Amino acid sequence: MCGITGFTHRDGVFDPARIRTATDSLIHRGPDQQGTYESEQISLGAVRLKIIDLQTGEQPLFSGDRNTVLVFNGEIYNYRQLRAELESRGHQFKTSSDTEVVLQAFLQWDTDCFQRFHGMFALAVWSERDRRLVIARDRLGIKPLYFHQHDGELYFGSELKTIFAHPEIDRRLDLTALHYYLALNYVPCPRTLVEGIEKLPAGQWLEWRDGQVESEAYWRLRFEPQKFRSIENAQEELDVLLKQSVREHLISDVPLGIWLSGGVDSTTILHYTREECASRIKTFSISFQGRSFDETPYIRETAKRYDTEHHELDISPSLDLTAAIEELAYYSDEPFADAGALPVWFLAALSRKHVTVALSGEGADELFGGYITYQADRYAAAAQGVPRMLRRGLLSLLRHWPVSNDKISFEYRAKRFLEGTLLPPDEAHTYWNGSFSSAQQGEFLRAGNGSTVRALFEADLPRADEAGSLNRYLAFDQRYYLVDDILQKVDRMSMAHSLEIRPPFLDHRIMEFAAGLPEHMKISGGHQKVILKRLMKDRLPASILRRAKTGLDIPTHDWLRGALRPLLLDTLSAQAIEETQLFRRDRIEFFIQEHMERRANLGYHLWGLLILFLWIKQWNIQTAPQPQFSQNSLATALSRA
């Protein structure tokens, strides 16, 4: 696992310190080895966290004739099979690393090689003779890759901070991305919160030649449910796929463990890992002792059943939460308003004391329908039969219901659900798990630009009348929520501690399998993740299979009224709000007052604003509107100079 960065300079003029600065900003991703390459046309940098082939495999990696250079971040799980095929074609290898297999595969098959890789990756390949740069990202977007085009040059990196290393690139806030962030709690690909800097979409490559850029998707997931498929056959296939994926994800030359939550997903990964491993498995968990959502009893039951070497950390205000949150602003790179980042931060720190790699259960909910939001979509469709006036009236009554300090209380869910039923269905789906609706943003943003989340649903998503409404929303969450919230959160929090996280559920073959399932094998009545739970019925503890999903999160409402209140009030001060020139100060202060006086639970909304303001301050983001000069005002300004 590594981090990569680079930039072109066609005029042959470059500052050698620039690539070193950009590369050094990624050392947390690769503390074991750092390297750079520079020619008249390009500068490349890589940092390495040694996972496979600890003795060789340093980067940047060169072809035998030194014409082709590779910087690579990720793991290719089928690299041994690819190596054997390449050797049969005459390729020779000097290392045992998967990185060299990637380089030789590119030399053999060019961009077609990406379709052959099983794994997670972001990479860049430079051909000196052709003056050609290719960057690419894995099918699911597990590994990040940012890029920026400026005056015909291309800048790229695993994190935004590598692009921030270039002073010629403005750091101006993207107002459309801000709307998405406030609505969704994350910024959907390809946008970022900085104008002109983009994320390379999952499953795509991009080529730069002498200032010209073109890109192409090499993989795209299609939802084509097989309506007459038997559940028994599907169950058998899923079993084979999970065994295969977990086996591949266990490839490592360093200590490896599992993130264990006490839910079906991570316990399933532990079950298959136990079948593959003769040695005792290390497991890592976060607890919230004394809280209603604490999963400790289930976690410990599972750890005992599988005889793991178990490690736990309790998250409470006794920890230095403020210091951790302030570090998030640096390591998050691009803010995401997912309060689950905080426990993941501590979980990664705990894990890194014992292992370098950990498997996790990310992705199963988006594949098989595990979130309660999918049930909300169905209930909302039924609620449309209730007159709108009655729904508004019930919502008004619920607003007098006393608020709770629970993480997600009944009153919070009920209010949120009724508010969502008043929105168009696609927008409602994002609202269940988001923060501010477009109307709410209009109340506190000084200026809008007409952006709506509905536009995201118009971009090549399956139609509800063809694939089903559930599959439509699963497709949306897989493309945006999974990649730009969940995977970004896990990548940044783990790599901040030089820890590699591998999600076996996100093997592309499992993704394609799930996309071909009829909806009733995912959700049937009140049962969710039907096919996965049926498969694991006689394998996992009954208590794990029966319990409702909890999710790794913090008691945001409570802590922002208590332990985190000073940080919130200091960060969202009157001066800080005014300096951004983005928000109406009186409305932000009203939100804070409503929350503190327990008239509403706005913890998730305020958390998103807190993280945004910390990020703006950390990276000196330009938020003020650009001055608009007319010819007369320009002449006046010049006459006064």
Side-chain angles (χ1 to χ4, degrees):
M1 186 56 59
C2 312
I4 63 173
T5 185
F7 59 100
T8 62
H9 33 77
R10 290 174 295 166
D11 59 6
V13 178
F14 60 93
D15 178 3
R18 186 78 66 82
I19 189 61
R20 290 196 294 269
T21 298
T23 304
D24 287 348
S25 72
L26 296 174
I27 284 180
H28 54 282
R29 299 184 72 93
D32 298 331
Q33 183 254 321
Q34 298 85 43
T36 61
Y37 167 78
E38 290 181 288
S39 70
E40 289 188 357
Q41 296 285 315
I42 198 165
S43 296
L44 298 173
V47 299
R48 185 180 178 213
L49 177 65
K50 295 181 180 179
I51 305 292
I52 295 174
D53 188 1
L54 307 186
Q55 304 304 317
T56 58
E58 293 190 350
Q59 294 191 44
L61 187 66
F62 298 86
S63 60
D65 60 3
R66 297 189 70 83
N67 175 67
T68 308
V69 192
L70 168 70
V71 287
F72 171 71
N73 167 28
E75 304 290 350
I76 304 301
Y77 303 122
N78 64 331
Y79 78 97
R80 290 171 180 161
Q81 297 93 316
L82 288 172
R83 176 179 176 135
E85 182 177 355
L86 288 164
E87 286 176 331
S88 72
R89 292 173 177 265
H91 291 261
Q92 297 181 344
F93 291 82
K94 297 179 180 179
T95 76
S96 300
S97 69
D98 58 341
T99 305
E100 189 176 11
V101 171
V102 171
L103 177 57
Q104 298 288 354
F106 185 84
L107 293 174
Q108 177 66 43
W109 297 299
D110 204 83
T111 55
D112 288 343
C113 70
F114 305 136
Q115 300 176 35
R116 296 171 176 262
F117 297 157
H118 298 173
M120 53 185 185
F121 61 87
L123 59 83
V125 186
W126 169 253
S127 174
E128 187 68 42
R129 191 161 38 246
D130 299 330
R131 296 185 177 185
R132 176 197 184 206
L133 174 67
V134 174
I135 64 175
R137 194 177 182 194
D138 66 69
R139 293 173 177 86
L140 282 308
I142 301 171
K143 291 292 98 183
L145 190 55
Y146 295 90
F147 72 95
H148 173 73
Q149 299 177 68
H150 180 77
D151 290 341
E153 307 294 1
L154 186 71
Y155 304 75
F156 69 89
S158 294
E159 298 186 2
L160 272 178
K161 55 181 69 68
T162 65
I163 299 178
F164 289 165
H166 302 279
E168 66 269 26
I169 298 174
D170 290 335
R171 304 182 191 181
R172 183 167 298 281
L173 192 77
D174 184 314
L175 294 180
T176 298
L178 176 64
H179 165 78
Y180 288 140
Y181 173 83
L182 294 171
L184 303 170
N185 294 330
Y186 59 89
V187 179
C189 185
R191 289 187 180 274
T192 71
L193 268 173
V194 183
E195 281 186 3
I197 301 180
E198 299 179 57
K199 290 171 277 202
L200 185 67
Q204 286 198 18
W205 55 260
L206 180 148
E207 179 188 81
W208 177 96
R209 283 180 188 254
D210 194 27
Q212 301 300 311
V213 169
E214 66 174 289
S215 63
E216 183 176 307
Y218 65 87
W219 183 82
R220 194 181 301 278
L221 185 65
R222 297 296 183 188
F223 280 75
E224 298 173 345
Q226 302 170 33
K227 297 181 180 180
F228 302 106
R229 186 172 196 180
S230 74
I231 194 166
E232 292 80 12
N233 175 267
Q235 183 177 317
E236 291 174 3
E237 184 174 348
L238 179 57
D239 183 40
V240 171
L241 288 170
L242 280 170
K243 285 179 181 177
Q244 182 181 47
S245 180
V246 170
R247 186 182 303 120
E248 291 183 352
H249 281 72
L250 290 173
I251 296 173
S252 176
D253 294 333
V254 295
L256 181 148
I258 293 178
W259 279 2
L260 187 61
S261 70
V264 172
D265 307 338
S266 63
T267 310
T268 295
I269 300 302
L270 174 57
H271 176 86
Y272 282 99
T273 302
R274 191 70 186 86
E275 288 187 343
E276 295 291 329
C277 290
S279 58
R280 200 173 184 211
I281 301 165
K282 295 179 174 67
T283 52
F284 305 92
S285 302
I286 291 299
S287 64
F288 291 90
Q289 297 290 343
R291 293 284 183 172
S292 60
F293 54 87
D294 181 45
E295 298 182 285
T296 302
Y298 305 101
I299 291 170
R300 291 180 178 173
E301 178 187 1
T302 301
K304 182 178 180 180
R305 173 166 176 159
Y306 288 96
D307 187 31
T308 72
E309 179 189 317
H310 188 60
H311 304 269
E312 287 179 10
L313 176 66
D314 186 59
I315 305 295
S316 72
S318 64
L319 298 173
D320 193 346
L321 301 178
T322 296
I325 292 169
E326 289 176 336
E327 285 200 82
L328 294 183
Y330 176 80
Y331 287 105
S332 292
D333 215 36
E334 181 184 10
F336 45 91
D338 185 335
L342 190 57
V344 172
W345 170 274
F346 286 108
L347 179 59
L350 169 67
S351 305
R352 190 60 178 93
K353 295 176 182 178
H354 305 274
V355 298
T356 310
V357 178
L359 272 57
S360 72
E362 269 78 34
D365 290 311
E366 291 84 0
L367 267 65
F368 301 112
Y371 294 127
I372 194 173
T373 52
Y374 302 126
Q375 294 287 15
D377 293 326
R378 295 185 169 200
Y379 297 147
Q384 297 305 311
V386 178
R388 192 178 184 87
M389 185 179 298
L390 287 179
R391 281 179 276 146
R392 286 187 178 276
L394 182 56
L395 179 59
S396 297
L397 290 175
L398 278 175
R399 285 177 176 151
H400 296 289
W401 191 307
V403 301
S404 165
N405 272 338
D406 285 348
K407 186 175 72 169
I408 304 179
S409 62
F410 173 78
E411 55 84 18
Y412 180 86
R413 284 183 292 171
K415 293 173 186 175
R416 194 81 183 167
F417 173 74
L418 284 171
E419 289 169 349
T421 66
L422 302 174
L423 300 172
D426 286 346
E427 190 173 344
H429 173 74
T430 64
Y431 186 73
W432 310 135
N433 206 36
S435 291
F436 298 100
S437 68
S438 296
Q440 291 167 337
Q441 290 187 43
E443 295 177 7
F444 67 87
L445 282 175
R446 288 187 175 181
N449 61 4
S451 303
T452 68
V453 297
R454 291 197 299 274
L456 299 174
F457 284 90
E458 297 169 1
D460 193 31
L461 288 175
R463 291 174 43 175
D465 59 350
E466 294 178 353
S469 59
L470 172 61
N471 279 331
R472 176 173 173 80
Y473 295 134
L474 288 171
F476 179 92
D477 289 343
Q478 289 171 26
R479 179 176 299 182
Y480 298 116
Y481 176 64
L482 176 63
V483 178
D484 299 314
D485 184 323
I486 302 300
L487 294 178
Q488 177 170 307
K489 171 180 66 179
V490 170
D491 176 82
R492 298 306 190 281
M493 298 304 96
S494 61
M495 293 310 298
H497 296 91
S498 304
L499 176 75
E500 174 176 296
I501 300 301
R502 300 176 177 179
F505 276 110
L506 294 182
D507 181 288
H508 72 278
R509 293 160 294 187
I510 298 178
M511 297 285 291
E512 291 167 348
F513 162 82
L517 291 177
E519 290 187 337
H520 71 268
M521 293 188 190
K522 301 169 185 176
I523 294 181
S524 180
H527 301 286
Q528 297 182 247
K529 290 195 281 199
V530 173
I531 185 69
L532 180 60
K533 290 184 178 180
R534 180 184 170 112
L535 172 63
M536 305 309 294
K537 181 179 179 182
D538 298 321
R539 306 181 185 191
L540 304 187
S543 58
I544 300 294
L545 291 163
R546 286 196 305 264
R547 62 185 297 261
K549 182 176 180 60
T550 301
L552 187 59
D553 205 345
I554 62 173
T556 313
H557 304 310
D558 185 21
W559 285 2
L560 287 177
R561 292 187 181 110
L564 298 179
R565 177 173 177 151
L567 175 64
L568 177 70
L569 297 182
D570 180 61
T571 304
L572 298 184
S573 66
Q575 180 181 350
I577 296 170
E578 292 290 353
E579 285 178 350
T580 67
Q581 300 185 40
L582 293 172
F583 304 102
R584 295 187 174 93
R585 178 167 60 84
D586 60 326
R587 295 305 299 170
I588 301 294
E589 291 176 342
F590 173 76
F591 292 149
I592 295 173
Q593 185 177 11
E594 287 284 287
H595 184 76
M596 295 305 175
E597 296 179 2
R598 301 176 63 84
R599 287 193 290 270
N601 267 336
L602 298 173
Y604 293 118
H605 302 68
L606 295 174
W607 175 271
L609 292 173
L610 168 67
I611 297 300
L612 176 67
F613 274 64
L614 287 172
W615 176 75
I616 289 171
K617 180 180 179 181
Q618 169 72 55
W619 296 108
N620 192 27
I621 303 300
Q622 304 163 48
T623 58
Q626 290 181 296
Q628 301 293 322
F629 290 106
S630 66
Q631 291 295 328
N632 290 337
S633 62
L634 180 59
T636 302
L638 290 173
S639 67
R640 292 176 178 174

